[in-house]
Amino acid sequence: LVGGGAVHSGAAEEVLRFARKTGMPVVNTLMGIGVFPGSDRQCLGLTGMHGHIAANMAVANADVLIVAGSRFSERVTGDRNRYVGKKTIIQLDIDPSEVDKNVMTALPLVGDMKENLNKLSERVKKLDIEHWWHTIKAWDATENRAAQSGERLTASWLMKELTRSFKGEDTVFVTDVGQNQMWAALHLEVDAPRHHLTSGGCGTMGFGLPAALGAKIALPEAQVVQICGDGGFKMTGMEIYTAMRESAPFITVVINNSCLGMVRQWQQVFYDKRYSSTILTPFNFVGFAKACGADGATVTTCAEFTAALAKARKQGKNFLIEAVVEQSDLVEPMVAPGAVLDDFVKTDA
């Protein structure tokens, strides 16, 4: 399991070497995305409250869990006692105060992560775990990671299309907070560290746009794609004007379901559909972008999104795509707060 500490330590090469040497499956936290290539066959993807089925099932049923740079937040572990269970947890971290803080570990390896991973790689051998991989693949088959029916635009399909369009390019994806953040974490394939920027558990709606501006100024040759919801955009949308003024072009994708999506999802799933204060009034996103000097398009189908994305890439300037999706589209899978990782809730509308 790789977390944000593996990003900060620059240990991507060492993580890959260790994974290749052992043949182990790899999962990541939200802050660990990109440390291990998301497109790699050994990558099971996100684990935690909104983790993939196979990723969560693998963590829940593992005998040994090697953790590189995760603080074991409640969004990652759920029920912490049952998270540990009977498994052996080996924790790699540079900060001794992180050891046994949230979960009890069997073996802490405190120090430079790159050095410790290299030492571990020298001592391990290829594991005979074909039966384990067979079980994992069966779990993976139970989840349709990008369900799509006809031309109706969904957020999960949109993320897959972004992955396809920018495959092999130096692209930095920046997300805001809420459903857009989780859809991106689940369905984007990020193959390099620091190419997925998010505020993590801070819950700072409005983070995405100014963060994308910072990323573009830091990496002017890279393609930057900012993904946000219709609620978060309204908090810092004026920074499109700043981006135009600073000649820092990037693509903004606003997923518009006319509500505060994640709050409404919780009201639906955990509060018997007692909705309150989550519906947002109409807003002219494209008109706002144009008022700031940028360009944009509103899309409601897959074909329209693909065409708008191609136009945005061709123009090479600040471009906003308003992607209209249905409120019934929820972030799935989902585990209730404090529950066991393999206990997925029903999110039926």
Side-chain angles (χ1 to χ4, degrees):
L1 185 152
V2 291
V7 177
H8 297 315
S9 64
E13 183 178 334
E14 288 74 19
V15 168
L16 181 62
R17 179 189 175 199
F18 182 81
R20 286 285 187 266
K21 188 83 177 287
T22 60
M24 293 173 64
V26 180
V27 299
N28 55 258
T29 69
L30 177 64
M31 302 309 292
I33 291 174
V35 176
F36 191 78
S39 61
D40 193 275
R41 58 182 177 80
Q42 286 178 246
C43 183
L44 305 185
L46 186 70
T47 183
M49 177 178 284
H50 289 292
H52 287 297
I53 290 175
N56 278 9
M57 294 295 290
V59 171
N61 290 276
D63 300 308
V64 178
L65 182 63
I66 300 175
V67 183
S70 172
R71 62 189 176 92
F72 296 107
S73 76
E74 73 282 358
R75 291 297 178 98
V76 170
T77 63
D79 185 321
R80 284 171 170 154
N81 290 328
R82 296 171 73 180
Y83 183 85
V84 177
K86 296 181 180 180
K87 67 172 64 68
T88 298
I89 297 181
I90 302 171
Q91 183 180 5
L92 286 78
D93 208 291
I94 197 170
D95 185 356
S97 68
E98 290 293 335
V99 175
D100 296 337
K101 183 179 77 174
N102 290 325
V103 303
M104 297 300 295
T105 57
L107 177 61
L109 296 177
V110 179
D112 180 78
M113 193 175 301
K114 293 161 67 79
E115 183 178 341
N116 282 336
L117 279 171
N118 279 331
K119 289 180 178 179
L120 283 177
S121 292
E122 292 171 0
R123 290 163 171 77
V124 296
K125 60 183 179 180
K126 193 77 170 181
L127 301 174
D128 182 14
I129 52 173
E130 286 188 19
H131 64 290
W132 180 227
W133 273 110
H134 180 76
T135 301
I136 288 171
K137 289 175 181 177
W139 286 327
D140 190 52
T142 65
E143 179 185 347
N144 186 344
R145 297 196 178 189
Q148 188 63 36
S149 177
E151 271 291 284
R152 185 175 73 84
L153 186 61
T154 65
S156 57
W157 179 90
L158 182 156
M159 299 302 169
K160 292 290 185 181
E161 180 65 8
L162 287 174
T163 295
R164 185 201 63 77
S165 180
F166 292 101
K167 191 72 173 178
E169 299 182 28
D170 186 19
T171 306
V172 178
F173 293 102
V174 185
T175 72
D176 205 85
V177 168
Q179 286 179 317
N180 68 90
Q181 182 185 34
M182 293 297 101
W183 277 317
L186 282 165
H187 300 293
L188 284 176
E189 285 186 359
V190 181
D191 287 339
R194 302 188 188 278
H195 282 60
H196 174 271
L197 306 181
T198 187
S199 63
C202 291
T204 45
M205 287 178 66
F207 168 87
L209 227 166
L213 174 57
K216 187 62 180 181
I217 291 174
L219 299 171
E221 300 304 317
Q223 178 68 261
V224 175
V225 179
Q226 193 259 142
I227 302 164
C228 65
D230 48 324
F233 178 87
K234 297 183 180 98
M235 297 187 175
T236 54
M238 198 63 208
E239 298 308 325
I240 285 186
Y241 169 79
T242 309
M244 291 296 299
R245 188 189 67 194
E246 297 298 324
S247 299
F250 53 86
I251 297 171
T252 294
V253 178
V254 179
I255 300 176
N256 183 8
N257 56 7
S258 300
C259 70
L260 298 174
M262 188 57 82
V263 180
R264 190 170 177 79
Q265 177 166 333
W266 276 53
Q267 290 172 348
Q268 174 180 317
V269 176
F270 301 123
Y271 294 94
D272 297 325
K273 301 181 181 179
R274 296 195 295 273
Y275 301 119
S276 174
S277 306
T278 50
I279 297 299
L280 300 176
T281 55
F283 184 82
N284 188 346
F285 292 95
V286 174
F288 184 90
K290 290 183 176 180
C292 293
D295 198 0
T298 298
V299 302
T300 59
T301 68
C302 298
E304 288 175 352
F305 179 82
T306 301
L309 183 60
K311 182 180 178 181
R313 300 197 63 181
K314 184 177 181 180
Q315 285 192 2
K317 60 179 288 188
N318 283 94
F319 197 101
L320 182 148
I321 302 174
E322 177 192 7
V324 179
V325 301
E326 296 183 6
Q327 289 178 3
S328 59
D329 288 342
L330 304 183
V331 178
E332 299 176 290
M334 186 177 191
V335 175
V340 190
L341 279 190
D342 56 359
D343 184 14
F344 298 97
V345 299
K346 294 182 179 180
T347 58
D348 297 335

